[in-house]
Amino acid sequence: MTVPRTKSARHRRIVELLERGPVRTQDELRALLEADGLTVTQATLSRDLDELGAVKVPGPDGEPVYAVPGE
């Protein structure tokens, strides 16, 4: 899958990835984005997660995972 390189498209893809399955670290999320052809720096990804309101919540196994509040 190739995601357009706009900020809004990147934000949409981050939300999709977080909803699809547990993502425990920013490095894990960066790897998922890179698999889509999106290369982002850690600083950009951190900003994106902050702008999206992403927080860490207990995952299915009790380990913290990123989640984005529902609309």
Side-chain angles (χ1 to χ4, degrees), residues 45-65:
L45 186 53
S46 182
R47 242 186 333 272
D48 286 346
L49 289 168
D50 186 53
E51 290 170 1
L52 290 167
V55 294
K56 285 222 172 171
V57 299
D61 60 0
E63 293 294 318
V65 297

Side-chain angles (χ1 to χ4, degrees), residues 3-45:
V3 177
R5 298 185 189 279
T6 65
K7 181 178 180 178
S8 61
R10 187 176 66 243
H11 280 196
R12 277 192 305 275
R13 186 60 183 148
I14 289 170
V15 171
E16 289 169 359
L17 290 168
L18 296 181
E19 290 176 344
R20 185 176 73 187
V23 177
R24 290 173 175 76
T25 66
Q26 288 186 16
D27 283 338
E28 187 178 339
L29 183 54
R30 271 183 36 183
L32 293 169
L33 290 169
E34 285 181 6
D36 287 344
L38 288 172
T39 302
V40 295
T41 65
Q42 187 278 326
T44 297
L45 186 53

